[in-house]
Amino acid sequence: MTANNTIGQGKGSKRTWLLAMGALAVGMTASLSALAANVLQDVRYASAPGGKVDITLQFAEPVGDVQAFTTDTPPRIAVDLPETTNGLSQRRVVIGSGATSAVSAVEAGGRTRVVVDLFRPAGYTTRSSGNLLVLTVDAGAVQSNASNTMANPSDPTKRVASAIEVANIDFRRGENGSGRVILRFNGDGAAADMRNEGSKVVVDVANASIPESLRRRLDVTDFATPVQSLEPNTNAGSTRLVINTNGAYDSMAYQTGNEYVIEITPKRAAVIASAPSARAAGAVAGAAPSQGYTGRAVTFNFQDVPVRTVLQLIAEESNLNVVASDTVQGNVTLRLINVPWDQAMEIVLRAKQLDKRRDGNVIWVAPQKEIAEFEKAKADARIANEDREELVTEYIAINYGNAEEIAKLLTENSKNSGGAGGAGGAVQNKGFLSPRGSVSFDNRTNTLLLIDIPKKIQEVRTLLATLDRPVDQVLIEARIVVASETFARELGVIFGIQDRVGTLEDAAAVGETTTDSGFLVGLPATTPAGLLNLSILRSDIALDLELSALEEEGRGEVVSNPRVITANQREAIIRQGDEVGYLTIQPATTAGAVATATVEFKEVLLELKVTPTITQDGRVYLNLMVKKDEVSELIENPAGGFVPQIARREVSTAVLIDNGQTVVVGGVYEFSSREDLRKVPFLGDLPVLGNLFRNKNKSSDKAELLIFVTPRILQVSKKG
């Protein structure tokens, strides 16, 4: 029984719910009817004289205000019908007459948009009568901004021109060397039209006049842009501005409020972007996208169109989803020719003080202040969450680095100039840590003690995975070579006449003595190579002639080969040598005092000092000093003993070397030459025979210091 009652109550509740939903549906229908007060019922077309096409839109109620605009790439005419629903049975009506291809209608958000697809750009006019709106499309004549204006419903055949005057003409240099011409008017609604004529850009403003004070030629060559000069003038009561250019260029124009801006940009080689959004195949031929923009080139021609409508059209061209904030309002007049769609969006946003944020294929558009406040609130919320998050403790062992140095890196070394923190409630800059985080270290176990929120601890672990790794080492090998070469030539003569009374052995003995009184000439070599005796006139009188020659050639080299291994960016020093002692005598300074002898020492070292740095491309930058000392001689000290004279050879330099390459980092070349001549006066100057009366001595010494350096990287892999 209870179950039956429950079921009955359920059926009654269901009927009540259905009645409520029905009432709600009726209410929603009434609301939608109130929101969409008109209905597009029919679309028909007919050919008109001159290749024109009349497109008639039939509505359920009289036509109110409508908005129309055109695009050149692709050529289209769009008519927005606010508070209108789409009652057509078919979405697209094919026409195929004159410049008109087809007509389609789409409903969204309580309004309907009628789009006329064109075979080629064409002008149009609109007129309304009761519940009919007639759109007349031209046969394909050049479109004029003046004709793309909604006719006054009260007078569909006339357009009232406003009294607009050019207030100022300004020129500026833009980004990437572009020239920017700004036409300022004394009011809104200027109907400007721009076209390219060879090296000139012509701008006609049909409904604006220009005062005499502004009709002067402006030379802007010094700005280093494609624009050379500006020539403003009148043209049948309207205003014409001729922009003279030099070189290849791209032109575009846009209008916001009372300003009409023309940008002339140097043309660069077109770049086909690899991004999927850059559909270069559909770009207009010869149009080079501006630097930094990759969107497909489009042409827009808007006259006082809502910004939200422009954003919707850009979304269709870019195949992206554009979400506009409710605070995005206002209208814009825009004429862009062969401009990437993403640049067109930037221009619209800049003109209306808007900004955007992109997430995947969705773009959010809102006023700059609103986005800034949103991001600030988001950052504040993140900080607030971090302040409430629970702290955790982690112990991180350091393998290759120094725990104390890493702790300083995480805190002190990462602070900015104003982040020292302190009392007074100021937020303390903790480097890589959160404001509540802390870090300490244990030198004995080389461990970091970290207290912070989990997010920050994970960031520190990621950082340590990069920093705490083995450092490559470098083997530096130096070779110090001292090469010497000496050459000496000595030529002498002993010439004499004496009685030969002795034996042959006696004569030989006499010849070995350089001071024998029997010789008339004695200029012998110090080490004679041989002895020759001749006897002339009689047997007891001998003419002795001695010729000697000596040629000595000597070569020598000293090689030192210091080696050292060090870690990357760590200085290494290796030295070998002696300390040479010598006496110094301090004389007595007072009467009766004794002079003092002191033993002092001088270092005679072979030393290599080097700091290597391994570059990212596998080379080695060396900051090195090489020194080799030698005791050249001992100088007698008048006070007693000897003082060593030390020959120093040293080079200090910095050099970048490939791994394993050997280079000469220094060299010193010394050369000395000496020639001595001893002769008998007068006789030594005789031709030919004079050689018997003179002694020559030639000597030359050469010494060269060469220092070779070879670095080799010893890579250390981390064990895992």
Side-chain angles (χ1 to χ4, degrees), residues 610-685:
V610 60
T611 303
T613 300
I614 302 175
T615 63
Q616 295 296 326
D617 56 357
R619 295 190 287 179
V620 182
Y621 179 83
L622 295 179
N623 194 339
L624 61 87
M625 187 276 291
V626 182
K627 180 174 68 172
K628 188 179 190 311
D629 299 339
E630 289 181 351
V631 177
S632 59
E633 62 177 317
L634 296 175
I635 302 175
E636 186 177 358
N637 189 347
F642 295 88
V643 177
Q645 182 176 352
I646 299 176
R648 295 183 179 273
R649 298 178 178 91
E650 180 179 336
V651 61
S652 178
T653 185
V655 62
L656 181 64
I657 313 174
D658 289 337
N659 181 26
Q661 181 185 12
T662 300
V663 297
V664 180
V665 298
V668 178
Y669 181 77
E670 297 177 353
F671 174 78
S672 64
S673 177
R674 180 181 178 86
E675 181 176 346
D676 297 323
L677 175 63
R678 293 184 298 164
K679 64 181 179 179
V680 176
F682 180 72
L683 294 178
D685 295 331

Side-chain angles (χ1 to χ4, degrees), residues 288-556:
S290 301
Q291 185 176 3
Y293 299 103
T294 59
R296 183 169 65 95
V298 295
T299 297
F300 291 150
N301 187 0
F302 304 142
Q303 284 287 344
D304 199 26
V305 175
V307 174
R308 303 176 70 89
T309 302
V310 177
L311 294 177
Q312 181 176 353
L313 186 60
I314 292 176
E316 295 174 359
E317 295 293 338
S318 62
N319 287 335
L320 296 176
N321 300 310
V322 178
V323 179
S325 172
D326 293 339
T327 53
V328 176
Q329 301 294 336
N331 295 356
V332 64
T333 297
L334 197 64
R335 177 177 173 84
L336 303 175
I337 301 175
N338 294 341
V339 176
W341 66 260
D342 45 354
Q343 185 180 12
M345 173 176 276
E346 291 287 347
I347 292 173
V348 173
L349 299 182
R350 185 168 64 242
K352 306 304 291 186
Q353 290 79 48
L354 301 174
D355 202 352
K356 71 178 187 300
R357 293 294 181 269
R358 181 169 178 171
D359 184 7
N361 65 341
V362 178
I363 298 178
W364 172 43
V365 177
Q368 296 173 353
K369 182 179 180 181
E370 182 177 333
I371 290 182
E373 292 177 350
F374 168 78
E375 293 181 342
K376 182 178 181 300
K378 184 177 179 181
D380 292 343
R382 176 182 58 81
I383 295 174
N385 289 335
E386 291 181 355
D387 291 341
R388 291 190 295 267
E389 195 169 357
E390 182 180 359
L391 297 178
V392 296
T393 302
E394 288 282 342
Y395 306 104
I396 304 176
I398 305 300
N399 296 318
Y400 305 100
N402 181 275
E404 182 178 359
E405 293 179 356
I406 294 179
K408 292 181 179 179
L409 173 66
L410 295 177
T411 54
E412 297 177 4
N413 294 345
S414 61
K415 296 178 183 178
N416 54 30
S417 59
V427 177
Q428 192 175 18
N429 187 341
K430 304 296 285 292
F432 289 95
L433 307 179
S434 68
R436 296 188 297 155
S438 64
V439 61
S440 57
F441 56 89
D442 177 40
N443 281 329
R444 185 177 61 86
T445 59
N446 202 33
T447 302
L448 284 181
L449 312 177
L450 192 62
I451 301 176
D452 212 327
I453 60 177
K455 177 184 176 182
K456 287 296 182 179
I457 289 181
Q458 183 58 40
E459 291 177 358
V460 171
R461 285 189 174 276
T462 303
L463 177 64
L464 292 180
T466 302
L467 299 181
D468 187 23
R469 61 183 183 180
V471 178
D472 292 338
Q473 298 177 351
V474 183
L475 168 65
I476 301 99
E477 181 178 3
R479 296 178 180 87
I480 306 170
V481 178
V482 181
S484 62
E485 179 180 345
T486 62
F487 177 80
R489 178 176 297 168
E490 187 177 3
L491 180 63
V493 62
I494 299 178
F495 173 74
I497 299 176
Q498 68 177 12
D499 291 337
R500 190 174 181 82
V501 294
T503 63
L504 182 60
E505 289 79 3
D506 295 333
V510 172
E512 294 176 358
T513 306
T514 58
T515 59
D516 195 321
S517 60
F519 289 101
L520 300 179
V521 178
L523 296 175
T526 57
T527 56
L531 183 64
L532 176 63
N533 292 322
L534 295 179
S535 295
I536 303 176
L537 299 179
R538 67 177 187 267
S539 60
D540 58 346
I541 299 176
L543 176 60
D544 295 330
L545 176 64
E546 182 185 63
L547 296 175
S548 63
L550 173 67
E551 182 173 358
E552 178 182 345
E553 181 179 358
R555 296 177 182 270

Side-chain angles (χ1 to χ4, degrees), residues 39-44 56-60 88 131-133:
V39 180
L40 175 61
Q41 297 177 334
D42 188 23
V43 174
R44 55 184 179 270
T56 303
L57 307 179
Q58 181 177 339
F59 299 87
L88 299 179
N131 61 343
L132 298 178
L133 176 65

